């Protein structure tokens, strides 16, 4: 890993939170003149040219003429031969073996946080392959490199290969597929030695060279002078900290070495210098189809890697009138696919298609369609790829995504609660989601999804940050524009993650703030520490597109870090936004709100309450987006018990928030209309 990596490996491990990947800006400053070290990446503001993670399609059920398969069951490890070796003198292969393993566990190295581990020596969960429960193959280079006897000059080289030959004589064209998970350490620092390889031998003795990766050395001469191409790189082009999905399905045509052969042996080989880990499961060898396009995992309704526009679960109306959707399409078949086209459907209607192109054998291309998204509502997108020739496996030709356009909210998250942040809940922190501002817009409040169990009465606050400020994401409050008032949490406004509808906690800005077109704005939620507070995070987001501040670095150092889960922190554009009731307000409100009945309701429901003093009373009903549906003013009411009957026959089915406002204090009950 070089000088930088040696330094980092001798310092205290970075405190990475459960199912998170954070990378410190402070260490990045130290490494600006050299290759970044494992687990640490420089902080960077978003640019349109950020490199994306390589995308592969997720496992799908396909019809194949499978002639051999293996689910890597731990009870059948004898089907494999494990070995290692290195051309470098002094390598440790006799004293410390780094082999593939047949196991039910994921990576256990000290930097396994990327795979959901804790970095404390315990194994992370294995990848989510189809048969992960019964076992998989793994090479854990990170665990090996952490050994005290490790020498950074060593080139690691380990492999696992089939013990018995495989008969491919019935197949003219042969492909191999597997479910896999992998993260690249640093192909540059290790002199381009970090490789994940598939290799084939026709006799089980002669294999491609283990000493070099030159194209000629990926061939085998079986004595007749013919050089047989017998090596395939699984993740070509991967760079520092690139990784796959969990899992990815990869497919390779191995016809040159295996086509029509009565016997072949297959090897999976890892080479590198103190990397992360590579997992393999559910391997198949089968007849390569003639015509088969697939949509890989890169689908984006903003075409993020071309346009630089963040994907948002909820777009603010008026910010964009059109978007560009994109999908990466790969030719799995052995024939070139003429007329390859991506059709885009929105809410059940086709809105356009890409220009037809030819996608050659074993290559991919990204196809794009521009579409209108100016109307408020939900956008359900369907991607469908086709070609002139009929596809032999249409099951991998479609993908789907969805998002909303709202008058009242702008949210990077998709509304699905995935993980609680921070892991312990006691750390003080700021969670920040950046937003592209395309047209002037006024923000009135910030919404956040609070995790159930967060402690009553804990003070919290929210902020807006200017992404163009030179101190943005470098200082704790760098680029601060405006904040909300401090609010004491009330636990009844939290989410346990089991429901589809999110109950948002609203913090009103000290003054409405107009954000100019062309700016990037960070919406941040802050917990001061001391009592348990967590927020929900949503779907995966790319490196340097969401951030947190807190004691998450080496030695619990406070700094800004990026996270690959989207904080559920939204911009609230509702001029009528009001603070969610706090514990102090409830205690001094001199009223009691009782549960709605019936709830769920389809015709009407009754809200009961008790007043302990003469009070001005009103009832507000809002839909899940925060839009005001009904307001009922009751004027000044006397001490005692009262009720309001709410007619919901004209309401659309869904979740609503009914808020009783008593002398300015607020209490809310959730209503389900069915």
């Amino acid at each position: 890993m070089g000088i930088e990596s040696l330094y980092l490996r001798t310092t205290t491990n970075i405190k990475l939170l459960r199912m998170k990947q954070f990378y410190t800006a402070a260490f990045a400053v130290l490494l600006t003149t050299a290759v970044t070290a494992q687990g640490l990446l420089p902080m960077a503001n978003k640019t349109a040219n950020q490199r994306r993670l390589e995308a592969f399609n997720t496992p799908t059920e396909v019809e194949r003429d499978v002639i051999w398969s293996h689910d890597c069951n731990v009870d059948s490890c004898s089907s494999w031969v494990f070995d290692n070796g290195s051309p470098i003198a002094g390598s440790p292969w006799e004293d410390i073996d780094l082999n593939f393993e047949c196991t039910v566990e994921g990576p256990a190295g000290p930097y396994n946080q990327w795979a959901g581990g804790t970095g404390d020596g315990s194994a992370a969960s294995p990848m989510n392959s189809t048969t992960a429960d019964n076992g998989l193959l793994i090479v854990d280079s990170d665990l090996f490199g952490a050994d005290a006897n490790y020498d950074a000059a060593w080139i690691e080289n380990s492999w696992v290969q089939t013990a018995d030959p495989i008969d491919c004589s019935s197949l003219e064209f042969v492909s191999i597929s597997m479910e896999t998970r992998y993260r690249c350490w640093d192909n540059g620092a290790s002199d381009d030695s970090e490789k994940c390889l598939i290799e084939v031998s026709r006799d089980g003795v002669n294999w491609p060279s283990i000493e070099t990766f030159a194209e000629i050395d990926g061939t085998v001469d079986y004595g007749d002078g013919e050089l047989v191409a017998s090596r395939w790189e699984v993740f070509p082009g991967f760079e520092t900290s690139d990784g796959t999905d969990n899992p990815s399905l990869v497919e390779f045509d191995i016809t040159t070495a295996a086509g029509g052969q009565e016997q072949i042996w297959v090897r999976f080989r890892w080479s590198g210098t103190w990397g992360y880990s590579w997992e393999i499961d559910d391997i198949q060898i089968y007849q390569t189809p003639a015509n088969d396009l697939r949509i890989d995992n890169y689908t984006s309704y903003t075409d993020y890697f071309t346009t630089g526009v963040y994907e948002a679960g909820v777009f603010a109306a008026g910010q964009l009138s059109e978007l560009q959707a994109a999908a990466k399409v790969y030719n799995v078949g052995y024939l070139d696919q003429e007329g390859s086209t991506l059709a885009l459907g929105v809410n059940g209607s086709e809105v356009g298609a890409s220009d037809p192109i030819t996608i050659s054998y074993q290559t991919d291309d990204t196809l794009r369609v521009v579409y209108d998204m100016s109307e408020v509502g939900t956008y359900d997108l369907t991607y469908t790829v086709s070609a002139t020739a009929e596809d032999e496996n249409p099951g991998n030709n479609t993908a789907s995504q969805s998002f909303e356009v709202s008058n009242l909210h702008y949210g990077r998250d998709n509304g699905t609660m995935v993980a609680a942040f921070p892991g312990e809940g006691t750390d003080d922190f700021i969670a920040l989601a950046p937003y592209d501002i395309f047209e002037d817009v006024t923000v009135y409040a910030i919404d956040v999804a609070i995790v159930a169990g967060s402690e009553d009465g804990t003070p919290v606050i929210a902020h807006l940050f200017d992404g163009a400020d030179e101190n943005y994401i470098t200082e704790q409050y760098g680029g601060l524009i405006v904040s909300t008032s401090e609010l004491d949490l009330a636990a009844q406004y939290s989410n346990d993650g089991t429901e589809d509808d999110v109950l948002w906690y609203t913090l009103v800005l000290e003054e409405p703030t107009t954000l100019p077109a062309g700016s990037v704005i960070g919406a941040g939620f802050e917990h001061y520490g001391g009592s348990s507070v967590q927020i929900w995070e949503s779907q995966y987001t790319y490196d340097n597109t969401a951030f947190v501040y807190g004691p998450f670095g080496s030695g619990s150092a406070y700094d800004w870090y990026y996270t690959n889960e989207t904080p559920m922190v939204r911009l609230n554009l509702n001029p009528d936004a009001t603070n969610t009731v706090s514990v102090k307000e409830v205690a001094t409100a001199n009223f009691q709100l009782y549960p709605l009945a019936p709830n769920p309701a389809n015709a009407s429901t009754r809200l009961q309450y008790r007043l302990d003093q003469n009070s001005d009373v009103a009832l507000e009903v809002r839909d899940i987006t925060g839009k005001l549906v009904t307001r009922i003013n009751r004027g000044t009411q006397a001490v005692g018990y009262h009720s309001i009957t709410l007619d919901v026959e004209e309401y659309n089915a869904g979740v609503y928030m009914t808020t009783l406002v008593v002398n300015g204090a607020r209490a809310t009950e959730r209503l389900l209309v069915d």
Side-chain angles (χ1 to χ4, degrees):
M1 288 188 176
I3 296 174
E4 299 80 31
S5 53
L6 287 175
Y7 167 73
L8 291 167
R9 293 296 193 171
T10 58
T11 60
T12 304
N13 283 352
I14 305 168
K15 179 184 178 184
L16 300 182
L17 304 185
R18 180 175 58 88
M19 300 189 70
K20 302 290 178 290
Q21 304 162 27
F22 298 110
Y23 305 92
T24 173
F27 272 113
V29 174
L30 300 175
L31 305 175
T32 54
T33 60
V35 179
T36 56
Q38 176 174 329
L40 298 176
L41 290 177
M43 296 296 299
N45 292 329
K46 177 179 69 69
T47 69
N49 296 319
Q50 274 190 291
R51 176 177 164 68
R52 68 176 174 84
L53 301 180
E54 292 287 332
F56 298 85
N57 76 308
T58 54
T60 56
E61 294 294 328
V62 297
E63 295 184 4
R64 291 170 171 164
D65 182 13
V66 178
I67 56 98
W68 183 90
S69 64
H70 204 290
D71 66 358
C72 303
N73 194 311
V74 292
D75 294 329
S76 58
C77 290
S78 60
S79 301
W80 303 101
V81 176
F82 304 87
D83 206 349
N84 56 64
S86 176
I88 306 299
S91 295
W93 306 110
E94 294 182 0
D95 300 322
I96 307 173
D97 284 341
L98 172 63
N99 275 324
F100 275 86
E101 297 179 72
C102 189
T103 179
V104 295
E105 295 185 333
Y111 289 84
N112 69 351
Q113 296 91 344
W114 72 273
T118 58
D120 62 359
S122 58
S125 298
M127 70 169 170
N128 297 326
S129 55
T130 303
T131 66
D133 288 346
N134 71 16
L136 47 73
L137 300 171
I138 184 174
V139 57
D140 195 348
S141 172
D142 184 26
L143 183 62
F144 173 66
D147 192 284
N149 296 314
Y150 187 82
D151 186 326
W154 293 333
I155 301 295
E156 304 165 19
N157 194 12
S158 301
W159 58 84
V160 55
Q161 63 194 49
T162 53
D164 300 314
I166 301 166
D167 185 358
C168 296
S169 59
S170 63
L171 306 182
E172 180 181 4
F173 296 93
V174 186
S175 287
I176 186 170
S177 71
M178 62 181 175
E179 296 179 34
T180 187
R181 179 172 65 169
Y182 166 67
R183 183 178 175 97
C184 179
W185 150 228
D186 189 347
N187 243 351
S190 57
D191 299 322
D192 203 33
S193 67
E194 182 160 327
K195 305 286 187 183
C196 297
L197 303 167
I198 296 174
E199 298 173 337
V200 173
S201 173
R202 291 178 176 178
D203 58 12
V205 176
N206 292 288
W207 295 88
S209 170
I210 67 168
E211 298 187 5
T212 75
F213 302 107
E215 183 176 353
I216 189 66
D217 295 310
T219 63
V220 177
D221 183 352
Y222 292 99
D224 57 4
E226 179 188 3
L227 296 178
V228 179
S230 303
R231 174 191 291 156
W232 294 265
E233 186 172 356
V234 182
F235 308 108
F238 262 36
E239 297 179 0
T240 301
S241 291
D242 285 353
T244 69
D245 291 321
N246 180 21
S248 292
L249 175 67
V250 297
E251 302 170 278
F252 290 89
D253 188 300
I254 57 173
T255 300
T256 54
Q261 297 299 310
E262 293 185 358
Q263 58 180 21
I264 65 164
W265 286 256
V266 176
R267 169 186 288 179
F268 303 98
R269 183 159 72 92
W270 147 261
S271 177
T273 300
W274 194 3
Y276 287 103
S277 62
W278 182 24
E279 296 160 271
I280 299 168
D281 200 4
D282 299 309
I283 308 160
Q284 293 185 342
I285 294 177
Y286 53 93
Q287 169 72 40
T288 305
N291 303 295
D292 186 8
L293 291 176
R294 75 171 188 223
I295 293 182
D296 278 346
N297 276 349
Y298 178 62
T299 56
S300 172
Y301 45 82
T302 67
D303 192 11
Y304 173 77
F305 293 109
T306 299
T307 67
V309 176
Y310 295 128
E311 287 190 346
V314 181
F315 277 103
Q319 286 299 299
L320 286 170
S321 61
E322 67 178 22
L323 289 175
Q324 178 173 273
K328 180 184 174 186
V329 180
Y330 186 80
N331 182 8
V332 184
Y334 60 79
L335 296 179
D336 293 350
Q337 295 302 296
E338 298 178 351
S340 297
T341 304
L342 177 71
L344 179 69
V346 178
N347 296 338
S349 299
E350 185 172 324
V351 298
S354 63
D355 293 331
I357 64 170
T358 297
I359 301 179
S360 301
Y361 173 43
Q362 290 191 305
T363 64
D364 62 75
D365 209 328
T366 300
L367 308 183
R368 301 173 172 88
V369 181
V370 176
Y371 65 103
D372 178 82
M373 46 80 70
S374 57
E375 298 296 323
V376 172
T378 299
Y379 288 72
D380 295 319
L381 273 60
T382 303
Y383 305 81
T384 305
V385 65
S386 62
T388 302
E390 183 178 357
D391 200 291
E392 297 176 34
N393 176 30
N396 59 10
N397 287 35
T398 60
S400 60
Q401 290 180 297
S402 63
F403 65 92
E404 297 178 35
V405 176
S406 170
N407 283 319
L408 298 175
H409 295 91
Y410 195 177
R412 288 278 309 284
D413 66 274
N414 65 2
T416 300
M417 296 170 281
V418 173
F421 171 83
E424 299 297 326
T426 56
D427 294 314
D428 49 327
F429 68 91
I430 301 173
L432 184 147
Y435 289 86
D436 294 304
I437 306 300
F438 299 97
E439 300 291 339
D440 293 358
V441 65
T442 300
V443 180
Y444 296 91
I446 293 175
D447 293 345
V448 60
I450 302 293
V451 176
S454 297
E455 189 167 328
D456 266 3
T458 303
V460 295
I461 195 170
H463 315 282
L464 288 181
F465 298 92
D466 181 3
D469 190 281
E470 64 180 4
N471 296 315
Y472 175 68
I473 315 296
T474 59
E475 298 181 359
Q476 181 177 2
Y477 299 109
L480 180 64
I481 300 172
V482 65
S483 301
T484 69
S485 300
E486 183 182 282
L487 195 66
D488 297 321
L489 285 183
Q492 64 262 44
Y493 300 95
S494 60
N495 302 270
D496 63 9
T498 61
E499 298 185 21
D500 294 333
D501 295 309
V502 181
L503 183 60
W504 293 95
Y505 213 96
T506 298
L507 296 93
V508 177
L509 296 173
E510 292 180 342
E511 58 183 21
T513 302
T514 299
L515 306 175
S519 59
V520 175
I521 299 297
F525 170 83
E526 182 175 10
H527 163 229
Y528 296 136
S531 299
S532 178
V533 174
Q534 295 172 291
I535 70 166
W536 283 105
E537 294 181 308
S538 190
Q539 81 280 4
Y540 177 87
T541 188
Y542 299 102
D543 296 353
N544 293 308
T545 62
F547 305 92
V548 295
Y549 180 91
F552 310 126
S554 178
S556 297
Y558 280 80
D559 213 326
W560 281 103
Y561 307 81
Y562 77 74
T563 174
N564 287 127
E565 282 78 33
T566 306
M568 298 184 72
V569 182
R570 292 182 171 184
L571 301 177
N572 188 320
L573 314 181
N574 186 357
D576 298 323
T578 55
N579 283 323
T580 301
V581 63
S582 73
V583 170
K584 290 180 181 178
E585 290 175 315
V586 172
T588 60
N590 294 314
F591 73 96
Q592 176 67 51
L593 178 63
Y594 299 97
L596 292 158
N599 189 12
N602 55 27
S604 65
T605 188
R606 187 166 178 246
L607 180 143
Q608 291 185 291
Y609 55 97
R610 187 195 74 239
L611 302 178
D612 296 333
Q613 63 182 29
N614 294 348
S615 304
D616 292 328
V617 178
L619 175 66
E620 295 177 351
V621 182
R622 298 179 185 274
D623 64 19
I624 196 63
T625 71
K627 181 181 179 180
L628 182 66
V629 178
T630 301
R631 180 179 174 88
I632 301 174
N633 292 310
R634 301 303 299 267
T636 302
Q637 294 187 297
V639 172
Y641 290 87
H642 303 267
S643 66
I644 298 175
T645 299
L646 183 64
D647 184 0
V648 299
E649 285 188 325
E650 301 301 320
Y651 287 19
N652 295 324
V655 176
Y656 295 80
M657 300 299 145
T658 61
T659 301
L660 189 71
V661 185
V662 180
N663 291 335
R666 309 170 68 85
T668 299
E669 289 285 330
R670 185 183 306 200
L671 170 65
L672 178 62
V673 176
D674 60 20

